[in-house]
Amino acid sequence: MQLPTYARHQHRWFYCGPAVVQVISNYTYGYRNATVSGETSNNNVFLQSYISGRWTRTDANGQTNLGDLITGLNASTSRPSYFYWAQWHGPSFADFHAAIVNDVFSYKMPLAAGVNPHVRGSTYYLYSWRNWQGSTGHYITINGYSGVPSSSSKYAYYNDSSGGYDEVQPWIAIAGETGAFSDTSYTVYMTMKNNSGDLVY
């Protein structure tokens, strides 16, 4: 099962947090188009620069801290009154996949994960970062799954907003790719564990 979320390119090289908030906010308000620009008002509920300035404090901090990402998600989205995003630090793999199934199937809501997308030499890396290796923190939107928790084969679907170039300083390349991707759920889980182990669900 997949939710109709659409990736937006990071306006700045360090804007993965605002991009995730924007993708999820757009979904909750019914903005269902594949235009990748994160700084055009007719295709987005909120611009990434606005999300950064108002909620995620990405420009102020030079990165998006987890608590500010959660603030941005809860403040910028149209969601049921009983649903809100919160941090889950260090879930087991079984709990990680079950959380995806629960949020996507039961609540029709995406999740966010803080990942290290391609640790040098690691067996587990995101397909969207297959051409780059190193150590970096990154956020992705998880929008779907295949395989129930008891299945032997389980996949996670996600949007990534990296790739291309910084739109303010276009000489700065952004590693990764922008678009819709899938990997085994365990692979996505391990990239999360290779970072801080935080799931926002």
Side-chain angles (χ1 to χ4, degrees):
M1 179 177 183
Q2 285 182 262
L3 302 175
T5 63
Y6 295 91
R8 294 293 188 263
H9 182 256
Q10 293 172 210
H11 178 58
R12 302 299 318 277
W13 65 270
F14 55 97
Y15 263 27
C16 58
V20 165
V21 171
Q22 183 179 58
V23 167
I24 295 177
S25 177
N26 284 345
Y27 163 76
T28 67
Y29 280 100
Y31 280 58
R32 310 285 167 84
N33 64 74
T35 302
V36 297
S37 174
E39 285 294 296
T40 53
S41 57
N42 57 325
N43 294 309
N44 301 287
V45 182
F46 303 106
L47 302 184
Q48 291 177 23
S49 54
Y50 181 85
I51 291 167
S52 171
R54 175 128 190 212
W55 297 302
T56 63
R57 302 191 294 174
T58 307
D59 285 289
N61 295 322
Q63 63 180 355
T64 305
N65 295 320
L66 183 67
D68 295 324
L69 180 83
I70 293 169
T71 296
L73 285 171
N74 286 317
S76 70
T77 52
S78 174
R79 55 193 165 76
S81 59
Y82 55 81
F83 183 91
Y84 62 94
W85 280 275
Q87 174 191 7
W88 191 354
H89 179 71
S92 67
F93 170 60
D95 287 341
F96 169 81
H97 191 77
I100 298 174
V101 173
N102 185 57
D103 275 24
V104 171
F105 180 80
S106 300
Y107 294 105
K108 306 298 186 289
M109 287 294 186
L111 305 84
V115 299
N116 192 334
H118 196 166
V119 174
R120 188 174 300 280
S122 176
T123 304
Y124 302 102
Y125 57 87
L126 298 183
Y127 183 80
S128 54
W129 286 67
R130 65 195 179 279
N131 297 317
W132 184 91
Q133 294 184 50
S135 183
T136 187
H138 185 55
Y139 291 109
I140 58 171
T141 302
I142 299 176
N143 71 332
Y145 66 92
S146 65
V148 296
S150 60
S151 302
S152 59
S153 178
K154 295 181 277 290
Y155 284 82
Y157 299 93
Y158 60 94
N159 294 134
D160 201 330
S161 297
S162 58
Y165 293 86
D166 187 297
E167 295 172 359
V168 175
Q169 297 175 301
W171 57 89
I172 299 177
I174 307 173
E177 296 180 15
T178 298
F181 304 92
S182 66
D183 280 300
T184 66
S185 187
Y186 190 73
T187 293
V188 177
Y189 173 75
M190 287 303 295
T191 65
M192 184 188 77
K193 293 288 283 184
N194 283 340
N195 187 30
S196 57
D198 288 313
L199 179 68
V200 179
Y201 74 112

